Amino acid sequence: MPLTTSPAPARVYTLGFWLMCLSSLLFFMSFNMLLPELPDYLTRLGGGEYKGFIIALFTLTAGLSRPFSGKLADTVGRIPVMVFGSLVCFICGFFYPFTATVAAFMGLRLLHGFSTGFKPTGTAAFIADIIPLERRGEAMGLLGVAGSVGMAAGPMLGSWLALHFSLNTMFYCSSGLALLSLIVQGTMTETLPRAQRQRFSWRLLRIESWDEVFEPRVLAPALVTLLCLFPFGAVLTVIPDQSRVLGLLGEDKGLFYTCYTGASLVVRLLAGRTSDRYGRVPVLIGSALVIVAALTVLALAQSAPVFLAGAVLFGLGTGLNSPTLYAWTVDLSHPERRGRAVATMYIALEAGIGLGALLAGWVFANEPARLPFVHGLSALSVLTGLGYLLVLRRRRARTA
């Protein structure tokens, strides 16, 4: 009787997955390397009072472009959407040295936001297409590791280039990294089913109903995203100034980002499957508590070590939060509307970050004594999200 052998299990993490991680690493490094230097650059242009707009304008166009990127990801394809995002990042990095006025700088920041409006939307939909449900949280965690490495290395590299060479060198290197990300995407295979694909036409940019903007199935994770990502915009806005107040200058200016992303990296590596095992909502409750603790430490920080300890806590909280929100969003979405679902979550993300940046700039007003109020406002937003999660868990327990 002939022996029968069971087919070998399909690999969960294919070459396409790892290429996507590499592309994300390069993309996040590209625009994050600018963050520590942009506040001082804007001040030299005479726009110090507009620091809150550095993040807010970027997130505004990112948020406005989400309905289009989500729709295009579900019709034209995941890869074209990612390519467009990386191309915008490449062009903007190249043109920063030519911004001689505050208005030109703000216009370029507005345009630069289209990069994150498109690239991450296509990326998340691509990953959801190739990873099974039971490994989705882990996969999003690994993808987040790549992004975290880029976010950690970017600010350090940017500050080093600006200090030892020039700001223009930093801008051109940022553009070059975006180009590398674009090249990597050109080696990948489209995952949108051929039956769904359409040729691009301008009519696809016409939004005819609200269900093309928002995916109702994912409103719960979208609301939590908005409330829990509010602190990210606030922190990005004031951290360069708080770093300087506490004596972190020169190459040390990017230490907060390094500690934050390093901690986030560790969590994503070690706890990537946590939400796969224990559920999305319980993990989000735990991460919200850690973020509130981090913001409390940042509000009370009077020395660089305490400040950096707050960065580590913030990284731990967001390291649990982000991949879980991605996975929860994809869990609730319909496969044919996956791009729109991801876009809905990202609209909430950009709204939270943009509001955080704007309100942080307004509350801070270049007065270091007001920094605790910025972090306190952020903590209040996360506590609101925590309350919603607790109510949601209680409702689920009653209906179980």
Side-chain angles (χ1 to χ4, degrees), residues 286-361:
S287 70
L289 291 171
V290 175
I291 292 172
V292 170
L295 294 167
T296 303
V297 171
L298 291 176
L300 299 175
Q302 297 295 318
S303 65
V306 175
F307 174 65
L308 296 178
V312 170
L313 278 174
F314 195 57
L316 293 175
T318 56
L320 281 172
N321 178 284
S322 296
T324 306
L325 285 170
Y326 285 128
W328 191 20
T329 298
V330 175
D331 291 348
L332 298 177
S333 67
H334 190 281
E336 292 184 2
R337 294 178 59 85
R338 191 165 280 158
R340 291 174 177 85
V342 172
T344 299
M345 187 270 292
Y346 271 120
I347 289 170
L349 180 145
E350 305 297 356
I353 293 176
L355 284 171
L358 277 175
L359 290 177

Side-chain angles (χ1 to χ4, degrees), residues 189-395:
T189 302
E190 179 59 58
T191 59
L192 182 68
R194 193 172 295 276
Q196 279 185 245
R197 294 184 214 170
Q198 303 177 32
R199 295 179 72 89
F200 174 79
S201 66
W202 292 106
R203 68 177 178 78
L204 290 175
L205 299 180
R206 189 167 60 232
I207 302 298
E208 298 176 342
S209 61
W210 278 108
D211 70 347
E212 292 189 280
V213 179
F214 297 108
E215 173 53 60
R217 292 170 178 250
V218 300
L219 289 182
L223 178 59
V224 176
T225 298
L226 188 151
L227 293 169
C228 291
L229 269 294
F230 180 98
F232 194 73
V235 164
L236 288 180
T237 299
V238 302
I239 284 308
D241 287 285
Q242 191 168 4
S243 296
R244 185 168 53 250
V245 167
L246 296 175
L248 297 174
L249 306 171
E251 292 183 21
D252 292 336
K253 193 185 296 185
L255 274 179
F256 178 92
Y257 301 98
T258 303
C259 292
Y260 157 74
T261 51
S264 175
L265 178 69
V266 170
V267 167
R268 291 171 195 264
L269 277 172
L270 299 181
R273 298 192 68 182
T274 302
S275 70
D276 291 333
R277 295 173 180 171
Y278 302 108
R280 315 303 188 197
V281 172
V283 171
L284 289 171
I285 289 172
S287 70
L289 291 171
V290 175
I291 292 172
V292 170
L295 294 167
T296 303
V297 171
L298 291 176
L300 299 175
Q302 297 295 318
S303 65
V306 175
F307 174 65
L308 296 178
V312 170
L313 278 174
F314 195 57
L316 293 175
T318 56
L320 281 172
N321 178 284
S322 296
T324 306
L325 285 170
Y326 285 128
W328 191 20
T329 298
V330 175
D331 291 348
L332 298 177
S333 67
H334 190 281
E336 292 184 2
R337 294 178 59 85
R338 191 165 280 158
R340 291 174 177 85
V342 172
T344 299
M345 187 270 292
Y346 271 120
I347 289 170
L349 180 145
E350 305 297 356
I353 293 176
L355 284 171
L358 277 175
L359 290 177
W362 176 68
V363 172
F364 177 49
N366 290 318
E367 293 289 341
R370 297 184 179 182
L371 285 167
F373 298 108
V374 174
H375 298 311
L377 181 63
S378 296
L380 180 62
S381 177
V382 180
L383 286 170
T384 304
L386 176 61
Y388 174 74
L389 286 167
L390 291 171
V391 169
L392 193 63
R393 186 175 68 172
R394 188 175 301 168
R395 287 178 180 173

